[in-house]
Amino acid sequence: LAAAALALAAAALAALAAALAVATAVHIGSLVTPVSASQSSTFDRPYPASKAIDADELNSVAVTDREDSPWITVEVPANTPISDVVLRTYGGADDLNGPFRVFAGTSAGDTSSSTAVPCGAEVTPGGSKGPFTVSCGGVTGKQYVTIKKSTEGYLRLTDVKVYTANSTLAINPTRTPTL
């Protein structure tokens, strides 16, 4: 009976996602409590990386200085399986917020070493604030989640949430829902 109810709920969510023509994820599992956050630089006012993990999604913002490919990293507890990263940008034009890519790595800012794992596809906000969900596929052995802008400019994030790999129901309008 529980399996039938879950299947019915998944079908309803899939229909809703298809109607909205967007991919989304419903997080049933645990939100990871971050250890810390860091960034490649800090804008000249007080906009440290900790603002991206302070649970204030709308009124605080982490901002890097204007530079080539800035990044913001969230450290999670060791041995945490990383399923999804959900983030929000400060809004505004693409040149302020994207495009950007999410990586799981072994140190802050780790995006190009042989130990970094790219998560999902590059995200182009298009002026939207999000939220944007990027799948890391349950990667383990990576303690740092880095969001790196692919171009020169500022990187402005209001919220970064990392979810464990243990129970996310992914809904994609082009695929059958999976557990």
Side-chain angles (χ1 to χ4, degrees), residues 51 53-61 158-159:
K51 299 282 188 177
I53 60 170
D54 66 1
D56 185 351
E57 295 179 4
L58 304 174
N59 298 311
S60 68
V61 59
T158 60
D159 190 50

Side-chain angles (χ1 to χ4, degrees), residues 67-152:
E67 62 184 307
D68 186 36
S69 302
W71 53 264
I72 295 175
T73 295
V74 174
E75 181 183 2
V76 297
N79 302 314
T80 299
I82 301 168
S83 175
D84 294 304
V85 178
V86 179
L87 53 101
R88 292 178 187 272
T89 68
Y90 189 69
D94 275 347
D95 64 335
L96 293 176
N97 291 317
F100 56 84
R101 185 93 194 247
V102 177
F103 296 84
T106 57
S107 62
D110 184 9
T111 62
S112 61
S113 75
S114 61
T115 59
V117 175
C119 300
E122 185 173 78
V123 176
T124 302
S128 171
K129 295 179 181 181
F132 304 99
T133 300
V134 178
S135 174
C136 289
V139 67
T140 58
K142 310 297 180 190
Q143 196 168 344
Y144 297 86
V145 174
T146 297
I147 299 91
K148 182 178 181 181
K149 186 172 179 176
S150 305
T151 60
E152 184 204 352

Side-chain angles (χ1 to χ4, degrees), residues 26-55:
V26 177
H27 300 284
I28 304 169
S30 301
L31 175 65
V32 176
T33 301
V35 173
S36 67
S38 58
Q39 57 197 46
S40 55
S41 63
T42 302
F43 187 62
D44 62 11
R45 286 176 262 180
Y47 299 114
S50 61
K51 299 282 188 177
I53 60 170
D54 66 1

